[in-house]
Amino acid sequence: LDLKAASQISEDLKQAGRSALYVQFATGKADILPQSTAQLAEMVSVLRAENSLRVFVVGHTDMQGDFAS
């Protein structure tokens, strides 16, 4: 997955009011995978630079596991 730079995230938020970031979790867990650390660091940079910014986080899951999971 492509890393979205802080500048692009900020521009997305200003222009469209949203920015899609890809953060991966371990299947069946809430553990963030190490390959997502850099993307989260970019989002942290945006939030630190624009400390009045408020974001709403929406997530989607994968197709693994059964319906009960």
Side-chain angles (χ1 to χ4, degrees):
L1 300 174
D2 292 332
L3 176 69
K4 190 176 283 192
S7 60
Q8 184 61 55
I9 296 168
S10 184
E11 187 63 25
D12 289 350
L13 294 172
K14 288 175 186 166
Q15 295 296 317
R18 65 181 180 273
S19 186
L21 307 179
Y22 296 95
V23 177
Q24 294 181 305
F25 292 83
T27 300
K29 299 180 181 180
D31 301 334
I32 296 172
L33 296 178
Q35 59 263 40
S36 296
T37 302
Q39 185 62 84
L40 292 173
E42 293 297 314
M43 187 63 208
V44 167
S45 293
V46 172
L47 293 170
R48 285 187 174 152
E50 303 175 39
N51 60 7
S52 65
L53 181 67
R54 299 294 177 255
V55 296
F56 181 70
V57 178
V58 177
H60 300 277
T61 186
D62 59 25
M63 299 292 291
Q64 298 193 12
D66 59 16
F67 183 74
S69 297

